[in-house]
């Protein structure tokens, strides 16, 4: 099954480790800032949000996608059968 996380990006749901909401202090916490900085330095941070980040999607290949779609919406999309592999 695939999940559309924004722009033209589809990820296999089996490859998604966690979806973290950006709302509140999530992106301001020291550990999160350090994690995102490390990913940016290693070219593993992919921003598809156009400065409208609502969530971070971490994948099994150690990439982090900054998505313009809320975690709640991504969760709802992951439950749909529209993008199932066949």
């Amino acid at each position: 099954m695939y999940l559309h996380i924004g722009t033209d990006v589809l990820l296999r749901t089996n490859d998604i480790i966690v979806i973290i909401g950006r709302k509140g202090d999530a992106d301001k916490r020291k550990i999160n800032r350090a994690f995102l900085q490390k990913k940016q330095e290693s070219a593993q941070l992919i921003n598809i949000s156009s400065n409208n980040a609502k969530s971070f999607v971490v994948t099994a290949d150690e990439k982090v996608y900054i998505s313009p779609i809320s975690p709640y919406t991504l969760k709802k999309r992951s439950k749909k059968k529209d993008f199932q592999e066949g």
Side-chain angles (χ1 to χ4, degrees):
M1 190 163 144
Y2 289 89
L3 178 64
H4 176 254
I5 64 164
T7 315
D8 291 324
V9 179
L10 289 173
L11 299 175
R12 286 179 49 127
T13 55
N14 290 344
D15 294 338
I16 296 174
I17 295 174
V18 68
I19 298 172
I20 303 168
R22 185 181 176 270
K23 187 175 181 179
D25 292 331
D27 61 330
K28 295 179 183 174
R29 293 190 180 134
K30 186 176 180 179
I31 194 164
N32 291 348
R33 281 194 318 251
F35 174 72
L36 293 173
Q37 180 67 32
K38 185 176 180 180
K39 291 298 176 184
Q40 185 172 19
E41 289 170 359
S42 64
Q44 292 179 311
L45 185 66
I46 301 140
N47 188 348
I48 60 168
S49 71
S50 300
N51 296 325
N52 189 22
K54 293 186 180 169
S55 61
F56 305 111
V57 181
V58 182
T59 60
D61 62 357
E62 299 184 8
K63 292 181 182 172
V64 177
Y65 294 83
I66 302 174
S67 172
I69 301 172
S70 76
Y72 176 74
T73 301
L74 292 173
K75 180 181 177 182
K76 283 186 352 184
R77 286 183 181 182
S78 72
K79 302 294 181 191
K80 291 185 179 182
K81 307 283 185 201
D82 295 347
F83 296 108
Q84 282 193 354
E85 295 179 66

